[in-house]
């Protein structure tokens, strides 16, 4: 399990330390380009916590209303931040899509329950504050895909809002936290079995309500993800489909756990094109 849940060990491109450094450099550079080339509102607070802030990249030509892509970063719930999570913005804002990078309190400061709650509250804040939003799309990578999947299981009556979630792109995610309990990843998270159970998207799938049927879920996994990551993606997509959700599994060749998401800064990348199709799909 230690090896299976160490994504950096599975990249054929670079060594396990080098691939992480390259990922940090690529996402940070892409975010800097986006901040320089797009209209932004940075560090927008959606709550009182230190990590409860959003970076918003507005469409180049906001025509009153616009779809929004909410990006939730990975980092095994204990590193990375919204500050290097705007790398997908430039190709999308030019197509009329707003991009929001969500910050949350990572471990050990942030507890798993807290992180899930924060991401849900960030969406409630967005739809309350920005009346121009017409359709929300979630995109999460790795731990961020887990958090995005937990958003799909939200009972929004508790938040007194109903975000119009049109789609979700879940990239190389973890959807059952139980195996994580037995690895080094849990050293910082300090999850109990009960915490892992209630925060596992696999165990929170509700039968698809009419709104969920209209929500297109794309579960993407890399050729060079570990067999465990690939199994989790396959089983979660099957469970969603069995519950009546509209879901597709995309197995991307020639990429690993890191460049599968880094390439979102490229116009020609398949996942970027999925994002660019959002306005027309509305």
């Amino acid at each position: 399990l230690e090896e299976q849940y160490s994504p950096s060990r599975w990249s054929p491109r670079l060594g396990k330390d080098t691939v992480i450094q390259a990922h940090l450099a690529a996402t940070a550079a892409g975010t800097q380009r986006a901040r320089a080339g797009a209209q932004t509102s940075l560090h927008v607070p959606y709550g009182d916590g230190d990590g409860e802030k959003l970076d918003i990249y507005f469409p180049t030509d906001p025509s009153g209303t616009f779809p929004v892509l909410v990006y939730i970063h990975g980092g095994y719930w204990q590193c990375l931040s919204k500050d290097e999570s705007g790398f997908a913005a430039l190709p999308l804002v030019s197509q009329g899509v707003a991009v929001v990078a969500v910050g949350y309190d990572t471990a050990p400061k942030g507890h798993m329950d807290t992180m899930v709650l924060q991401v849900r509250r960030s969406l409630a804040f967005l739809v309350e504050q920005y009346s121009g939003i017409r359709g929300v799309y979630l995109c999460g990578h790795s731990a961020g895909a887990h958090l995005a999947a937990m958003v799909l299981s939200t009972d929004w009556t508790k938040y007194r809002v109903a975000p119009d979630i049109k789609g979700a792109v879940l990239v190389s995610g973890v959807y059952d936290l139980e195996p994580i309990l037995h690895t080094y990843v849990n050293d910082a998270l300090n999850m109990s079995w009960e915490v892992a159970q209630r925060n596992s998207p696999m165990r929170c799938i509700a039968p698809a309500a009419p709104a969920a049927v209209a929500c297109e879920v794309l579960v993407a996994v890399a050729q060079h993800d570990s067999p465990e990551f690939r199994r989790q993606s396959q089983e979660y997509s099957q469970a969603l489909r069995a519950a009546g959700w509209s879901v597709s599994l995309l197995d991307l060749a020639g990429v690993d756990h890191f460049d599968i998401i880094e390439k979102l800064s490229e116009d020609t990348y398949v996942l970027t094109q999925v994002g660019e199709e959002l306005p027309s799909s509305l």
Side-chain angles (χ1 to χ4, degrees):
L1 283 176
E2 291 279 331
E3 184 167 343
Q4 288 288 325
Y5 286 95
S6 298
S8 59
R9 298 187 184 188
W10 296 85
S11 172
R13 294 184 296 136
L14 299 163
K16 61 185 178 68
D17 295 324
T18 315
V19 75
I20 293 173
Q21 293 305 315
H23 180 62
L24 294 172
T27 53
T31 300
Q32 286 303 112
R33 287 194 296 273
R35 288 185 174 185
Q39 179 188 346
T40 61
S41 288
L42 304 178
H43 318 304
V44 177
Y46 65 85
D48 298 327
D50 292 340
E52 297 180 355
K53 294 182 174 63
L54 307 172
D55 286 348
I56 304 172
Y57 300 79
F58 291 100
T60 305
D61 181 24
S63 55
T65 63
F66 47 84
V68 60
L69 182 88
V70 177
Y71 181 78
I72 307 169
H73 70 81
Y76 256 160
W77 307 278
Q78 55 197 283
C79 58
L80 299 181
S81 73
K82 69 171 180 55
D83 297 332
E84 56 274 313
S85 298
F87 55 91
L90 278 185
L92 296 176
V93 297
S94 65
Q95 299 292 322
V97 181
V99 175
V100 176
V102 178
Y104 54 91
D105 286 320
T106 52
K109 179 179 181 179
H111 187 271
M112 184 60 72
D113 289 326
T114 305
M115 290 183 257
V116 170
L117 178 63
Q118 287 175 326
V119 173
R120 287 169 169 167
R121 282 200 291 107
S122 75
L123 245 73
F125 170 85
L126 269 175
V127 298
E128 284 179 334
Q129 293 295 313
Y130 296 93
S131 58
I133 292 173
R134 58 176 178 92
V136 174
Y137 295 81
L138 303 171
C139 179
H141 172 238
S142 197
H146 157 267
L147 293 170
M150 288 300 292
V151 170
L152 294 180
S153 72
T154 305
D155 176 3
W156 290 108
T157 58
K158 299 176 183 177
Y159 298 84
R160 299 187 300 279
V161 295
D164 184 16
I165 300 176
K166 296 283 193 183
V169 182
L170 309 176
V171 184
S172 293
V174 177
Y175 308 106
D176 179 2
L177 298 182
E178 197 273 336
I180 296 291
L181 296 174
H182 312 290
T183 72
Y184 69 95
V185 182
N186 201 40
D187 293 349
L189 297 172
N190 197 28
M191 285 190 296
S192 66
W193 184 85
E194 290 79 11
V195 169
Q197 293 292 299
R198 68 173 171 259
N199 289 295
S200 287
M202 271 290 288
R203 303 175 192 280
C204 303
I205 297 173
V213 172
C215 173
E216 296 280 341
V217 181
L218 177 64
V219 179
V221 66
Q223 176 185 352
H224 301 298
D225 266 319
S226 75
E228 266 293 281
F229 270 86
R230 292 173 59 79
R231 176 190 68 80
Q232 288 232 13
S233 292
Q234 186 169 26
E235 292 185 2
Y236 181 59
S237 63
Q238 289 171 342
L240 280 176
R241 192 175 296 115
W245 289 71
S246 177
V247 59
S248 304
L249 178 65
L250 180 62
D251 192 339
L252 282 168
V255 289
D256 59 38
H257 187 82
F258 302 95
D259 60 350
I260 189 175
I261 199 74
E262 291 164 17
K263 289 175 179 287
L264 272 180
S265 61
E266 301 174 7
D267 288 302
T268 56
Y269 184 48
V270 59
L271 290 185
T272 309
Q273 291 169 354
V274 167
E276 288 175 350
E277 287 168 7
L278 301 184
S280 59
S281 75
L282 288 169

